Amino acid sequence: MSLRSVPIQGNRDEVDETLSNEVIASSSEKNLTAERMVSDAKVEMKFMVDKCFSDFSERMDSMLAKFDHHITNKITPILGRGYDSSSISASGEAKQSKQDLNNSHFTENIRAKPDIKCKIKPQLYDGSDDLEEYLTQFYLLAELNDWDLRSKALLLASSLTGSARALLNEMTEGERHDFECLVTMLKSRFGSINRSEVFRAELQTRVRLRNESLPELAQAIKKLTRRAYPGTSPIVSDTLALDYFIDAITETDIRLRLREVGPKTIYEAENIAVRLEALRLDI
C-alpha cells in the first residue's frame, strides 16, 4: 500500500505512527530481497568454482593418462641382454629376433638416451694422477648417484682431459660407451701394472725432501709402494712400505731408533718418528 492511499483520519500522532509502520515494512521487504540476491549470487559462484575445479581435474587426469601410456610403451634396455621383447612388441618399433638384438647391443645402447642423475659430478682426469685412486673415488660416486653401466661410461668418458682424453679417439664408438672396456683401456695406458718397474726404481731412491713432514713422507711411500707392487696383498704392501719409509728418513738417529724399536706397521713407525723428531727439536 502506497503512502498516498493512506486516509488522513484522527489526530496527527496516529497519522505519524501509521506512516512510520509502513516505512519500516517497506525497508524490511527491501532487505529481504537484497539478502535473497546475495544468497543466489553465492550459490552461482560456488557452482562456477566447482565446475572449474572439475574441468581442471579432468584435464590433469587426461594428461597423466597420456604420460603413463608413453612411459609404458617406451623401450627400455636390459643390460647384457639387449632390449625387453615385451616392450619392443608394445611400441611396434622393432620386430627383430632376440639374436639380432644381442648383436646390436652397442648400437642400440648408443641411440638410447639414459636418464643420468648426478648429485656430485666426478673430477677431471688428465692421466697424471694415480688412476687407481681416481677410479676408487669414481666407484663411490657411482654408488652414491646410483648410475648404471651406460651412465658410468658416459660420465667417465666426459671426465677425461689432456692425454687421457686423447685415448677416446683410439677406441671405437661401441668401446667408448662400454664402461668395462673404457676402464681396461685406461688401466692399460695409465695404470700401475705396465709401469711397476719405474715406480720400483723411484721407490728405492726416494728420500725425505726438504721441508717435507714425516706424515707426508709416509703417505708418498705408501702410494709409491702400491703402484710399484700392484696386486699384492695389503699385508705385504704394508711391510714393504714400512721398510722403504724407514730408509727414506734422512735423520740417522731417528732411522736407527726406528730400527731398534721395530714397529710392526708403517702407521706405528710414523707415530714413533713424529715423537722422536719432536723430542729431537726440543733438545
Side-chain angles (χ1 to χ4, degrees), residues 71-90:
I71 294 299
T72 303
N73 293 335
K74 185 178 179 181
I75 301 177
T76 54
I78 299 179
L79 298 178
R81 297 192 290 111
Y83 285 93
D84 187 1
S85 58
S86 61
S87 298
I88 294 176
S89 300

Side-chain angles (χ1 to χ4, degrees), residues 1-161:
M1 179 172 59
S2 64
L3 297 177
R4 295 180 180 179
S5 61
V6 178
I8 302 176
Q9 298 176 356
N11 56 29
R12 186 175 183 82
D13 293 337
E14 293 178 352
V15 173
D16 292 339
E17 184 179 357
T18 302
L19 292 175
S20 176
N21 291 335
E22 291 202 4
V23 169
I24 293 174
S26 177
S27 299
S28 299
E29 184 177 357
K30 290 181 180 180
N31 290 336
L32 292 175
T33 303
E35 290 178 358
R36 283 195 297 270
M37 293 177 63
V38 172
S39 178
D40 293 340
K42 288 182 179 179
V43 172
E44 185 175 359
M45 289 177 64
K46 185 177 183 304
F47 173 77
M48 293 176 64
V49 171
D50 292 341
K51 188 175 185 305
C52 288
F53 275 108
S54 177
D55 295 341
F56 176 77
S57 300
E58 291 179 358
R59 292 185 61 184
M60 288 297 296
D61 291 339
S62 177
M63 292 174 63
L64 291 175
K66 292 181 180 179
F67 179 76
D68 292 339
H69 179 73
H70 175 72
I71 294 299
T72 303
N73 293 335
K74 185 178 179 181
I75 301 177
T76 54
I78 299 179
L79 298 178
R81 297 192 290 111
Y83 285 93
D84 187 1
S85 58
S86 61
S87 298
I88 294 176
S89 300
S91 63
E93 296 180 357
K95 295 182 180 180
Q96 297 178 348
S97 63
K98 190 173 182 180
Q99 183 64 32
D100 293 335
L101 290 174
N102 289 330
N103 292 335
S104 60
H105 177 68
F106 289 128
T107 304
E108 296 298 333
N109 276 345
I110 293 172
R111 293 176 182 173
K113 293 183 179 180
D115 183 15
I116 300 178
K117 299 178 181 179
C118 194
K119 301 175 184 177
I120 302 177
K121 295 181 179 180
Q123 297 181 357
L124 299 178
Y125 180 75
D126 59 359
S128 60
D129 295 333
D130 190 345
L131 178 62
E132 282 72 20
E133 292 180 355
Y134 179 82
L135 289 177
T136 299
Q137 186 182 46
F138 187 88
Y139 289 139
L140 293 175
L141 289 176
E143 183 179 355
L144 174 64
N145 293 286
D146 196 21
W147 295 332
D148 55 16
L149 288 176
R150 176 162 164 72
S151 299
K152 289 193 289 186
L154 293 176
L155 287 167
L156 179 58
S158 62
S159 300
L160 300 180
T161 184

